[in-house]
Amino acid sequence: MGQFGVGQGLRRLEDLRLLTGQGRYTDDISAPGQVYGALVRSPYAHAEILSIDGEAAKAAPGVLAVYTAADLSADGIGDIPLMTPIPGRDGKVGPTPPNPALARDRVRHVGDPVAFVVAETPHQARDAVEQVLVDYRELPAVIDTAEAQNPEAPQVWEEAPGNLCLDWEMGDAEATEAVFQEAAHVTRLRLVNNRVVVNAMEPRVALAEYDAEAQRFTLTTPSQGWGRLRGQLAEQVFKVAPEQIRILTPDVGGGFGMKIFLFTEQVMVMYAARKLGRPVRWTSERSEGFLTDTQGRDHVTEAELALDAEGRMLAIRVLTTANLGAYLSNFSTFIPTGAGAPMLCGLYTLKQVYNRVACVFTNTVPVDAYRGAGRPEAAYVVERLVDAAAQELKIAPEELRRRNFIPASALPYETVTGFVYDSGEFERLMDEALRLADQPGFAARQAEAHARGRLRGLGIASYAECCGGIGMEDARVRLDADGGLTLIVGTQTNGQGHATAYAQLLAERFGLEPEMIRTSQGDSEDLPEAGGTGGSRSLLMGGMAIKGAAEKAIERMKAVAGHLLEAAPADIEFDAGEFRIVGTDRRISLKDVAGATHGGGDLPPDLAGPVDAHHHVDTPPMTYPNGSHVCELEVDPETGVIEVKRYVIADDFGALVNPLLVAGQVHGGTAQGLGQALLEHTVYDAESGQLLSGSLMDYCLPRADDLPEIELHLFEVPCTTNPLGVKGAGEAGAIGAPPAIMNALVDALRPLGVTHIDMPATPERVWQAIRNAGGNGRAAA
């Protein structure tokens, strides 16, 4: 292992550039002659569009065009597709209503785009939006997830009676019922997994150019990978060959799932650029992001856990209503079904798991993947159930988990939901987390807090997630003239530190300093395909593609070195940046080979030219990172204010490439999990459908003083199903945090008679729960 090779906590190579203002984001990029777009958006959650009059806007200063759905239809522009159609219980895909770039005939949520105005300046475009006259007939709206299937609820789509998009199930309902009938104890919980707004630091942006002579688009936009975007735009929307669309993604300031998807504005700037013959750009304002970025979570769940008389968990049954919003975003139906449901087995030896999901439409912003994408929802259900069962059975929460964990000796282990856990030490990680959190000393800390009039609780959550082995990935490794390498890979960094981790992989293999590795991402010209970033897949998929390309490059370099050393390639070995003839001291450096391939040597035609190796990876097995979170917190019973006092995590991400990057990912995910658990509350007015928490004045994101120091301890249990031994790490913090925090909160409030509280546990909700339980907190304190 080199000083900066695999396993070392190398500081991010990209940080100096980004922190000194040299980052290059989409909004930093301008095209000569560019003009600006702005959207006319619906002020209603549900309404018929009776007419659209854009004449006054067209006559406004600087305005070049006003486009509506009629223009798109006339030019054959297709709708944004659902990319993951899921069959329901009857084996058929449910209703798939259109998702047009601009609303046709009816708007279905506040902020729904109705018209696109293009002008010479952004101010002129925004001013002209106010002059587009839209005559609406307001209709009743359905907002609440739990009420969407009420027979009296307004219908979002005629083709989806009862607002039901998909009735889906996993597992054997009859076999599960039989297990429940034999159970000695059943724990039941109703859980709300609250809707969250993504709020990436960089808003969405799109800049489109069109070359009329070549009939070719160029779209510059922040994304999580160009592959899926280009495929949709070419095949479903513009109906052109993929080669006629180039997508460029420069630096990206956060994605969290949301920037995977295709949005109206990307379609509209491309359409307008082709119509006008000028580059067109659009940049979201923060308020637009609240109204139009896909949102996350929003489930209402009835969950049951069956146990025997010895506290052995037998079966889990989960009935969930999942809110999809008004339209089907790219992955929408997959997230509450296939993405998360198989993880309802948790880390436990269960006989049966049954999950039935009703995916429903409402007059709200569309819902899709958000950090964790179904796995946080599943872990929340399982770990809240386990804690509730422990309290009902008067068994310590850690003991109940210990009795039911899949033992390390049983691995590889096929879960009842069909996943095969290849590696892990689940009980050890929980025990280590509790030891590091000083669980034995908790009673004394709790007593001291009570003496100060505070309620103190300790909660644990043990999680696993499935991730990584999703789709395909491509990479190229090119030997540069100076002896360094250029890496081109189809994943897309959104701030994770790809350039550093990938450089470490290549630096160790080639004997180079990491600074000699130049990473390039985000240009559809550079690779035939790109899988992108999402589902904690980048290190596994990108790493395997890079490894394959590196080995191909080395084989080509050996042939060049053999020619220069007058030896057969089979007699050449490569190590630490040098090519040697086996068994001799004759050698040349990587830089010598680079010089020869860049014109500095007399090479035969089959060896001449730069070394540039490409490798494609198809879906490898999934990985199963896992761990335990321990949260300790205090509650002020007079105000409901919560202070997280200590937070300890024991995680297993397999073999670690860079522990420092892993820590950053876990810290960020934990902060987002804490935000969902305690602070972030997406609120729509129940009658009008207006988003009441539509700005950072009303929507509370976690701040630095909301977070304790996160004590992360990493345990390397290498994955056995991929050559790197890695497991995904990007989403784990957001999976373990919500149940650990809520378990700690319920533990603190239990002396007052509070046995459950839903997220977000804001001070008002906590205060109200205490009052509803009949206490003011004083007696327990």
Side-chain angles (χ1 to χ4, degrees):
M1 184 186 298
Q3 182 181 1
F4 300 115
V6 171
Q8 301 300 308
L10 177 64
R11 290 186 178 274
R12 299 194 338 164
L13 301 176
E14 48 271 77
D15 279 354
L16 179 63
R17 177 176 65 85
L18 296 172
L19 294 173
T20 55
Q22 299 175 64
R24 192 166 185 258
Y25 299 86
T26 301
D27 202 50
D28 297 324
I29 298 169
S30 296
Q34 72 183 14
V35 293
Y36 299 83
L39 275 298
V40 178
R41 300 191 183 276
S42 170
Y44 298 108
H46 199 194
E48 289 184 17
I49 301 173
L50 302 179
S51 65
I52 303 173
D53 183 353
E55 294 306 311
K58 291 176 183 178
V63 172
L64 302 172
V66 177
Y67 300 115
T68 66
D71 298 299
L72 301 184
S73 297
D75 287 330
I77 303 301
D79 296 335
I80 295 171
L82 171 67
M83 297 181 67
T84 55
I86 303 292
R89 297 173 65 224
D90 59 0
K92 300 176 183 178
V93 174
T96 309
N99 185 3
L102 296 175
R104 292 194 290 263
D105 303 324
R106 185 175 289 198
V107 291
R108 289 177 167 84
H109 68 87
V110 174
D112 208 352
V114 174
F116 189 65
V117 177
V118 185
E120 294 285 352
T121 72
H123 296 294
Q124 289 173 334
R126 285 194 288 268
D127 288 346
V129 161
E130 301 298 324
Q131 298 185 57
V132 176
L133 302 177
V134 184
D135 188 11
Y136 298 98
R137 184 173 73 87
E138 189 174 5
L139 299 170
V142 57
I143 307 301
D144 185 70
T145 304
E147 291 298 316
Q149 292 183 275
N150 187 319
E152 298 181 1
Q155 295 297 291
V156 181
W157 293 97
E158 290 182 6
E159 55 263 57
N163 293 314
L164 182 64
C165 172
L166 180 67
D167 181 4
W168 181 90
E169 70 177 353
M170 177 195 71
D172 186 325
E174 291 185 4
T176 303
E177 173 61 21
V179 174
F180 269 84
Q181 288 297 327
E182 296 174 1
H185 181 84
V186 176
T187 292
R188 296 179 175 87
L189 277 179
R190 182 183 188 273
L191 301 164
V192 174
N193 204 294
N194 47 315
R195 180 184 284 234
V196 292
V197 177
V198 175
N199 273 309
M201 185 177 292
E202 177 200 25
R204 290 189 295 113
V205 190
L207 169 62
E209 303 165 76
Y210 186 72
D211 183 334
E213 184 175 347
Q215 296 186 333
R216 195 161 186 263
F217 295 94
T218 299
L219 173 66
T220 304
T221 190
S223 76
Q224 291 180 228
W226 55 262
R228 290 186 182 91
L229 290 181
R230 189 177 72 166
Q232 294 176 78
L233 288 165
E235 295 166 20
Q236 280 100 350
V237 179
F238 289 99
K239 298 158 190 171
V240 298
E243 296 75 24
Q244 289 178 256
I245 298 176
R246 181 185 187 185
I247 294 183
L248 296 170
T249 293
D251 289 322
V252 180
F256 311 116
M258 179 265 292
K259 287 179 183 169
I260 294 173
F261 311 121
L262 180 62
F263 287 90
T264 281
E265 297 80 9
Q266 292 158 325
V267 173
M268 290 312 305
V269 295
M270 293 174 67
Y271 175 79
R274 185 170 68 175
K275 295 288 283 187
L276 297 172
R278 293 178 67 178
V280 181
R281 75 175 304 125
W282 169 84
T283 300
S284 177
E285 296 181 347
R286 184 61 64 182
S287 58
E288 278 187 293
F290 273 90
L291 291 174
T292 63
D293 295 351
T294 55
Q295 297 176 355
R297 315 291 193 238
D298 203 343
H299 292 184
V300 177
T301 294
E302 302 283 347
E304 298 172 288
L305 172 62
L307 305 98
D308 68 14
E310 285 74 44
R312 302 287 180 183
M313 291 191 267
L314 304 174
I316 285 178
R317 181 163 51 199
V318 178
L319 307 179
T320 292
T321 302
N323 193 341
L324 303 181
Y327 297 95
L328 297 179
S329 180
N330 287 166
F331 294 173
S332 57
T333 53
F334 175 65
I335 301 306
T337 56
M343 296 312 302
L344 286 168
C345 56
L347 294 168
Y348 307 111
T349 54
L350 293 159
K351 293 182 178 180
Q352 295 290 334
V353 171
Y354 178 75
N355 184 204
R356 185 170 177 182
V357 181
C359 297
V360 299
F361 290 111
T362 63
N363 294 113
T364 61
V365 175
V367 175
D368 211 318
Y370 172 70
R371 196 170 193 166
R375 284 99 75 202
E377 295 92 315
Y380 187 68
V381 170
V382 174
E383 291 302 292
R384 283 293 296 120
L385 273 174
V386 173
D387 246 44
Q391 297 307 319
E392 291 172 2
L393 295 171
K394 295 181 171 39
I395 300 173
E398 66 274 16
E399 174 57 24
L400 185 58
R401 288 173 171 85
R402 197 175 285 118
R403 290 183 193 181
N404 290 281
F405 277 143
I406 299 164
S409 60
L411 300 175
Y413 181 91
E414 183 173 358
T415 70
V416 68
T417 59
F419 283 155
V420 178
Y421 294 170
D422 64 286
S423 58
E425 298 178 4
F426 314 137
E427 183 177 344
R428 177 192 170 212
L429 262 64
M430 182 190 71
D431 289 343
E432 285 293 307
L434 290 168
R435 181 185 66 80
L436 292 162
D438 185 25
Q439 186 196 33
F442 172 70
R445 296 191 297 276
Q446 186 179 50
E448 186 275 332
H450 283 186
R452 292 185 284 106
R454 298 291 186 267
L455 305 169
R456 197 168 182 118
L458 186 142
I460 60 176
S462 297
Y463 78 94
E465 65 157 322
C466 56
C467 62
I470 305 168
M472 43 61 57
E473 198 52 82
D474 281 39
R476 285 170 56 196
V477 173
R478 187 170 64 216
L479 180 61
D480 298 329
D482 64 354
L485 299 171
T486 292
L487 166 66
I488 301 168
V489 64
T491 62
Q492 180 64 55
T493 187
N494 300 161
Q496 295 93 338
H498 288 189
T500 303
Y502 293 158
Q504 288 177 266
L505 292 175
L506 289 175
E508 181 162 279
R509 183 67 182 96
F510 284 88
L512 293 169
E513 294 296 318
E515 290 78 9
M516 293 291 287
I517 315 294
R518 300 128 187 151
T519 300
S520 176
Q521 297 172 298
D523 187 344
S524 62
E525 296 280 86
D526 289 341
L527 291 168
E529 296 182 273
T533 290
S536 300
R537 72 186 297 277
S538 291
L539 182 57
L540 173 63
M541 300 297 295
M544 289 180 63
I546 291 164
K547 178 179 171 62
E551 295 308 318
K552 289 179 179 179
I554 289 170
E555 288 305 306
R556 167 77 190 284
M557 294 174 198
K558 284 182 178 180
V560 174
H563 177 81
L564 297 175
L565 292 168
E566 299 179 335
D571 294 331
I572 301 296
E573 64 180 4
F574 175 70
D575 183 55
E578 291 185 327
F579 296 88
R580 304 178 186 86
I581 300 177
V582 176
T584 76
D585 61 357
R586 295 186 60 202
R587 67 190 68 191
I588 59 174
S589 70
L590 184 62
K591 191 170 184 178
D592 293 330
V593 172
T597 59
H598 282 270
D602 185 16
L603 297 177
D606 62 321
L607 296 179
V611 174
D612 191 343
H614 167 261
H615 190 69
H616 174 89
V617 172
D618 281 313
T619 308
M622 301 293 279
T623 72
Y624 300 96
N626 59 88
S628 288
H629 289 221
V630 179
C631 174
E632 190 168 329
L633 54 75
E634 283 186 4
V635 179
D636 181 345
E638 297 294 331
T639 64
V641 170
I642 297 167
E643 181 182 0
V644 179
K645 304 296 288 187
R646 193 169 184 192
Y647 205 96
V648 175
I649 305 173
D651 271 332
D652 164 23
F653 299 123
L656 300 175
V657 172
N658 186 319
L660 192 61
L661 295 183
V662 168
Q665 289 296 294
V666 175
H667 289 180
T670 301
Q672 286 179 288
L674 180 146
Q676 181 182 9
L678 301 181
L679 303 168
E680 299 185 44
H681 198 189
T682 308
V683 182
Y684 289 88
D685 183 85
E687 300 260 337
S688 69
Q690 296 293 328
L691 181 60
L692 302 181
S693 54
S695 76
L696 293 177
M697 294 291 289
D698 305 296
Y699 186 91
C700 186
L701 291 175
R703 274 84 167 164
D705 61 355
D706 294 313
L707 297 165
E709 178 183 355
I710 296 171
E711 303 170 48
L712 173 63
H713 303 269
L714 299 172
F715 297 82
E716 296 188 58
V717 184
C719 182
T720 64
T721 59
N722 68 76
L724 300 175
V726 299
K727 303 173 186 177
E731 297 162 299
I735 297 171
I741 292 167
M742 297 306 289
N743 284 343
L745 176 59
V746 172
D747 185 55
L749 299 180
R750 187 171 293 107
L752 305 183
V754 177
T755 58
H756 176 68
I757 187 168
D758 276 318
M759 301 186 293
T762 60
E764 178 188 10
R765 281 191 172 182
V766 173
W767 182 89
Q768 193 62 58
I770 292 171
R771 269 65 196 165
N772 290 346
N776 61 12
R778 292 182 183 274

